[in-house]
């Protein structure tokens, strides 16, 4: 997948023809999680997130492709397909993992017009990320903390540092 993030439950998406974003709900996968140590919140989104009810509000506001004289009809999200997924892996549901640059198509636009504006993952510190931290960068970002001192404290009190 390179440097791209996998899309997970709670990702924010927008349509180029709508006026408000909506939150993706993962309905096709109930077993595989990303960036979620408890395995309870960040289900991986796949190309099988299609049809209606795939978003929380199920609307991107007013659809600029459906004028009604002085206004526009409300958008009713229906995903017909996703493009730009990670093709090297297929999950048990038959879908491929959506990436942060994947795009969805709706039947009104007929082209990929729905994009992901936030993949839904969040960064969490861990002991391994602390071990892999660049000491020079860390000393510039936080000059009051010496990573070697933290390691000594951890050893002395037998605690996990995250």
């Amino acid at each position: 997948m390179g440097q791209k993030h996998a899309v997970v439950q709670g990702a924010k998406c927008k349509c180029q023809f709508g006026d408000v974003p909506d939150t993706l709900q993962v309905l096709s996968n109930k077993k595989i999680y990303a960036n979620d140590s408890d395995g309870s919140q960040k289900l991986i989104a796949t190309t099988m997130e299609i049809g209606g009810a795939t978003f929380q509000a199920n609307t991107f506001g007013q659809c600029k492709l459906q004028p009604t004289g002085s206004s526009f009809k409300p958008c009713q999200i229906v995903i017909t397909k996703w493009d730009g997924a990670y093709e090297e892996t297929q999950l048990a549901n038959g879908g491929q993992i959506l990436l942060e640059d994947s795009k969805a198509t709706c039947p009104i636009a007929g082209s990929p017009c729905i994009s992901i504006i936030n993949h839904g993952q969040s960064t969490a510190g861990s002991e391994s990320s602390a071990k892999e931290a660049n000491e020079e960068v860390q000393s510039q970002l936080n000059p009051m903390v010496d990573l070697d001192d933290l390691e000594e404290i951890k050893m002395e009190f037998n605690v996990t540092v995250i």
Side-chain angles (χ1 to χ4, degrees):
M1 284 191 286
Q3 297 297 318
K4 298 177 186 175
H5 288 91
V7 176
V8 297
Q9 171 81 22
K12 298 287 185 200
C13 299
K14 69 173 184 169
C15 176
Q16 70 185 58
F17 303 112
D19 53 9
V20 295
D22 201 354
T23 304
L24 182 68
Q25 297 185 112
V26 175
L27 303 174
S28 71
N29 166 30
K30 300 293 182 201
K31 297 178 183 178
I32 303 172
Y33 296 83
N35 194 7
D36 181 4
S37 59
D38 296 331
S40 62
Q41 297 178 1
K42 304 283 183 178
L43 287 163
I44 292 180
T46 72
T47 53
M48 300 307 286
E49 310 308 329
I50 54 176
T54 53
F55 289 86
Q56 258 179 9
N58 211 38
T59 185
F60 290 120
Q62 296 181 330
C63 179
K64 305 298 185 266
L65 294 177
Q66 299 185 77
T68 61
S70 63
S71 188
F72 300 94
K73 288 184 180 180
C75 164
Q76 294 179 328
I77 303 172
V78 177
I79 304 293
T80 57
K81 73 174 187 163
W82 285 93
D83 294 321
Y86 183 63
E87 297 177 359
E88 303 298 317
T89 303
Q90 184 171 350
L91 301 184
N93 67 2
Q96 297 166 325
I97 299 170
L98 294 181
L99 299 173
E100 61 188 319
D101 62 351
S102 298
K103 293 192 180 269
T105 300
C106 87
I108 302 295
S111 63
C113 59
I114 300 168
S115 58
I116 296 154
I117 54 177
N118 181 308
H119 49 72
Q121 294 194 52
S122 56
T123 339
S126 68
E127 186 173 353
S128 65
S129 61
K131 286 180 182 177
E132 294 170 10
N134 181 317
E135 288 186 41
E136 187 175 318
V137 171
Q138 290 302 313
S139 67
Q140 290 175 8
L141 293 173
N142 197 353
M144 300 299 288
V145 175
D146 183 354
L147 291 178
D148 293 330
D149 289 344
L150 284 178
E151 188 62 32
E152 287 177 25
I153 291 169
K154 178 184 162 202
M155 297 292 245
E156 185 177 331
F157 293 101
N158 195 23
V159 295
T160 302
V161 177
I162 54 172

